[in-house]
């Protein structure tokens, strides 16, 4: 089963899969970041928006919010959740907008869904072109040289009489510009278990490489991956929140 087919098939369970994610804290952190670094505008786009939970919070903050994703079933759910928002079916590596934006986000490490360095560079250029002066691009990232292939996260949930188990982790072979997101989903209903295994290719960069891609377009600030406080990134950290202000 291809990775896109897996996400399409399980689009109705996406929120269940992400049930342990604190979307409100993530959204509020970026709102604070935008107040500090941004131009105080309210035109907002969430890249790889999925079912639109971050869009929902930014609408509540008073933003003119929109979302972009490559998966139509996800966008259908996002539109139901946020009927007043605009949603775009498109690849984030080469997107364009009709009106310039004040804030662009890409949560949940989704910036890595760009297939390679070339596509990531296109995405960065697209975001820069889409932003107003002093507009902000904010996303989170993992450094390829800090990935522990033995580490994973797992949680369980119940929905409509079925038991679900979700497990995910990063894997990097130690060389090249590709890492993988390993995802395993188990669904058990009346004693019968279905299993989905996915090895999704994603772009791999270290933070120095990432900064080199961003700095021609943006003033770059890197923070600890902590949505409760704004703390400069430690040299030993492998996960970062990246804040980019358009030059």
């Amino acid at each position: 089963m291809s990775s896109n087919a897996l996400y399409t098939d399980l689009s109705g369970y996406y929120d269940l899969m992400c049930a342990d994610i604190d979307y409100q804290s993530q959204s509020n952190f970026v709102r604070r970041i935008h107040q500090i670094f941004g131009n105080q505008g309210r035109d907002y786009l969430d890249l790889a928006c999925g079912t639109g939970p971050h869009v929902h919070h930014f609408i509540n903050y008073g933003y003119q919010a929109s979302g972009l994703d490559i998966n139509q079933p996800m966008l259908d759910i996002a539109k139901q959740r946020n009927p007043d928002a605009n949603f775009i079916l498109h690849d984030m590596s080469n997107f364009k907008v009709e009106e310039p934006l004040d804030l662009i986000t890409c949560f949940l490490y989704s910036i890595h869904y760009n297939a390679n360095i070339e596509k990531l560079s296109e995405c960065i250029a697209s975001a820069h072109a889409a932003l107003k002066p002093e507009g902000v691009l904010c996303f989170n990232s993992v450094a390829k040289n800090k990935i522990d292939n033995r580490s994973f996260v797992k949680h369980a949930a119940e929905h409509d009489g079925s038991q679900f188990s979700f497990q995910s982790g990063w894997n990097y072979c130690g060389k090249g510009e590709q890492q993988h997101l390993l995802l395993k989903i188990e669904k058990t209903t009346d004693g019968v278990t279905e299993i989905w295994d996915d090895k999704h290719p994603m772009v791999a960069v270290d933070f120095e490489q990432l900064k080199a891609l961003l700095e021609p377009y943006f003033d770059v600030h890197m923070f600890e991956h902590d949505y409760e406080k704004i703390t400069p990134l430690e040299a030993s950290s492998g996960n970062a929140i990246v804040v980019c202000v358009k030059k």
Side-chain angles (χ1 to χ4, degrees):
M1 180 178 291
S2 72
S3 56
N4 193 52
L6 186 154
Y7 275 94
T8 301
D9 184 44
L10 295 176
S11 59
Y13 303 121
Y14 179 80
D15 291 331
L16 195 65
M17 183 168 64
C18 300
D20 58 341
I21 295 172
D22 191 342
Y23 293 109
Q24 184 168 5
S25 291
Q26 293 178 359
S27 301
N28 192 52
F29 177 92
V30 174
R31 179 176 65 157
R32 290 161 58 208
I33 285 290
H34 191 227
Q35 289 172 342
I36 296 168
F37 291 97
N39 57 15
Q40 309 310 311
R42 284 288 190 270
D43 293 317
Y44 165 65
L45 173 66
D46 186 27
L47 299 177
C49 67
T51 60
H54 295 104
V55 171
H56 178 76
H57 286 294
F58 276 93
I59 288 173
N60 289 340
Y61 297 151
Y63 284 73
Q64 297 296 316
S66 56
L68 180 149
D69 202 281
I70 201 170
N71 187 287
Q72 186 60 54
M74 297 284 194
L75 293 178
D76 292 341
I77 297 170
K79 187 64 174 178
Q80 292 174 10
R81 171 178 278 148
N82 307 288
D84 295 330
N86 183 42
F87 291 97
I88 307 161
L89 178 67
H90 208 279
D91 188 330
M92 67 177 159
S93 67
N94 61 354
F95 71 94
K96 295 180 180 180
V97 296
E98 294 183 1
E99 299 292 337
L101 301 161
D102 302 295
L103 174 64
I104 298 174
T105 58
C106 191
F107 290 98
L108 308 183
Y109 299 98
S110 296
I111 200 77
H112 290 275
Y113 277 108
N114 289 287
N116 49 44
I117 296 292
E118 181 180 359
K119 290 294 186 182
L120 177 59
S121 299
E122 290 179 15
C123 180
I124 291 167
S126 295
H128 179 265
L131 285 166
K132 299 175 189 177
E134 299 183 349
V136 171
L137 167 66
C138 184
F139 60 91
N140 59 344
S141 180
V142 59
K144 66 180 184 181
N145 56 325
K146 302 290 179 64
I147 288 174
D148 182 354
N149 292 339
R150 301 165 298 178
S151 179
F152 62 88
V153 295
K154 186 175 183 178
H155 77 274
E158 186 169 340
H159 179 72
D160 284 347
S162 297
Q163 290 74 46
F164 290 84
S165 173
F166 303 98
Q167 179 177 306
S168 62
W170 295 111
N171 184 274
Y172 181 59
C173 69
K175 60 181 180 180
E177 61 181 62
Q178 190 174 89
Q179 64 196 39
H180 289 88
L181 174 64
L182 306 182
L183 177 65
K184 182 176 183 178
I185 303 172
E186 297 184 7
K187 176 187 177 185
T188 301
T189 307
D190 296 330
V192 178
T193 299
E194 297 175 85
I195 299 175
W196 291 266
D197 275 305
D198 181 33
K199 186 178 181 181
H200 194 103
M202 306 178 84
V203 67
V205 291
D206 61 38
F207 290 153
E208 290 305 312
Q209 288 176 296
L210 183 59
K211 287 175 67 177
L213 294 173
L214 290 164
E215 285 177 340
Y217 301 96
F218 298 97
D219 293 322
V220 181
H221 310 270
M222 303 189 74
F223 298 99
E224 283 293 307
H225 200 265
D226 183 345
Y227 290 105
E228 298 302 321
K229 54 189 177 182
I230 301 172
T231 308
L233 186 70
E234 298 285 345
S236 60
S237 297
N239 299 274
I241 299 172
V242 185
V243 177
C244 311
V245 184
K246 182 172 179 174
K247 291 182 178 180

